[in-house]
C-alpha cells in the first residue's frame, strides 16, 4: 500500500486545488484542514499560519513557471525559443488564472518567491541573450535585460486583459504574436524572419479559440 503524503504536502496540494477551482477566498485554514483530514492547528504547525501557506502556494507557482521555461530547451532558432517562453507564460496564466492572479497581484510575496521569480527572469534573459548579435542588434547586458522585460510585459499585459474579459483567447494569441514580431523587428530582426520564428515558437498557443 502506498504511503500517504506528509501532512504538509497534503495541505499544500489542497491549497493549490482549492485556489484553482474555487478562488482565493475559499483557501482558509478550516478548509485546508478539512481537505487534509487534520485539525486547523496543522496550518500553524507546518506553515506558521496562512501567510506561510500563501508563500508556499506562490513559490509553487513560480517553480512551475521556471520548470515550463526549462522544458523549452535551446534550438537553432533563438527567436522561436523566446516565443516558446511566451507560449509557456501565456498558457500558465490562461489555464490556471487564480494561481496566476495570486502570483502577480498578491502582496504576500516572500523572499523565496522573489528568488524563484528571478530564476524565471534569468531563463528569459538567457534566451534573449542568445538572439543578440545573431538575430537582434548587439546589446549590452542591461539592455538585454530590458528587452526581456519588454517581452514579459507584453505577455503579462495580454494575459491580464484576458483575465478581466477584455481579450478573448484567440485575441491574446494574435496580440502576443504581433507584439513579439514588432519587438523583434524593432531590435534589428527582419520582419519576415521574425514572423516565421515567432509563429513557430507560439505553436503551443495554436489551440486558443
Amino acid at each position: 500500500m502506498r504511503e500517504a503524503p506528509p501532512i504538509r504536502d497534503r495541505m499544500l496540494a489542497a491549497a493549490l486545488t482549492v485556489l484553482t477551482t474555487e478562488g482565493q477566498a475559499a483557501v482558509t485554514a478550516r478548509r485546508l484542514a478539512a481537505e487534509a483530514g487534520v485539525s486547523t492547528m496543522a496550518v500553524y504547525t507546518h506553515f506558521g499560519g496562512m501567510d506561510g501557506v500563501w508563500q508556499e502556494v506562490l513559490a509553487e507557482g513560480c517553480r512551475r513557471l521556471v520548470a515550463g521555461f526549462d522544458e523549452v530547451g535551446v534550438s537553432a532558432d533563438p527567436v522561436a525559443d523566446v516565443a516558446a517562453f511566451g507560449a509557456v507564460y501565456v498558457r500558465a496564466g490562461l489555464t490556471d488564472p487564480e494561481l496566476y492572479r495570486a502570483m502577480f497581484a498578491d502582496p504576500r510575496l516572500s523572499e523565496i518567491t522573489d528568488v524563484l521569480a528571478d530564476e524565471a527572469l534569468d531563463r528569459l534573459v538567457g534566451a534573449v541573450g542568445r538572439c543578440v548579435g545573431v538575430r537582434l542588434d548587439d546589446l549590452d547586458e542591461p539592455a538585454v535585460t530590458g528587452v526581456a522585460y519588454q517581452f514579459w510585459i507584453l505577455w503579462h499585459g495580454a494575459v491580464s486583459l484576458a483575465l478581466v474579459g477584455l481579450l478573448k483567447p484567440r485575441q491574446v494569441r494574435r496580440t502576443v504574436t504581433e507584439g513579439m514580431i514588432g519587438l523583434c523587428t524593432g531590435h534589428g530582426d527582419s520582419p519576415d524572419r521574425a514572423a516565421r520564428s515567432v509563429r513557430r515558437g507560439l505553436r503551443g498557443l495554436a489551440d486558443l479559440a
Side-chain angles (χ1 to χ4, degrees), residues 83-84 87-88 91 173 198-208:
V88 168
R91 184 164 290 283
R173 185 179 66 239
V198 168
R199 291 193 171 95
R200 183 181 301 119
L202 292 176
R203 284 180 298 189
L205 302 180
D207 62 331
L208 294 185

Side-chain angles (χ1 to χ4, degrees), residues 79-94 100 124 150-162 167-185 194-195 197-206 208:
V79 171
D81 294 345
V82 174
F85 275 37
V88 168
Y89 187 96
V90 170
R91 184 164 290 283
L94 296 185
Y100 183 88
L124 178 56
Q150 289 173 1
F151 285 119
W152 195 312
I153 290 167
L154 169 65
W155 305 334
H156 180 69
V159 172
S160 298
L161 289 172
L167 287 180
K168 296 180 180 179
R170 65 176 180 275
Q171 293 173 315
V172 172
R173 185 179 66 239
R174 184 173 67 246
T175 298
V176 171
T177 300
E178 294 175 355
M180 288 199 68
I181 293 170
L183 284 172
C184 289
T185 56
S197 293
V198 168
R199 291 193 171 95
R200 183 181 301 119
L202 292 176
R203 284 180 298 189
L205 302 180
L208 294 185

Side-chain angles (χ1 to χ4, degrees), residues 58-133:
L58 301 179
E60 178 60 21
C62 291
R63 282 192 287 267
R64 292 179 182 183
L65 184 60
V66 170
F69 283 178
D70 284 344
E71 288 179 2
V72 170
V74 177
S75 76
D77 187 339
V79 171
D81 294 345
V82 174
F85 275 37
V88 168
Y89 187 96
V90 170
R91 184 164 290 283
L94 296 185
T95 57
D96 201 345
E98 293 297 335
L99 179 57
Y100 183 88
R101 289 188 183 99
M103 287 169 62
F104 293 105
D106 197 295
R108 289 169 286 203
L109 284 171
S110 67
E111 290 184 5
I112 185 171
T113 51
D114 287 342
V115 168
L116 288 162
D118 285 344
E119 286 186 21
L121 178 61
D122 286 345
R123 303 298 198 278
L124 178 56
V125 170
V128 173
R130 290 191 291 275
C131 301
V132 171

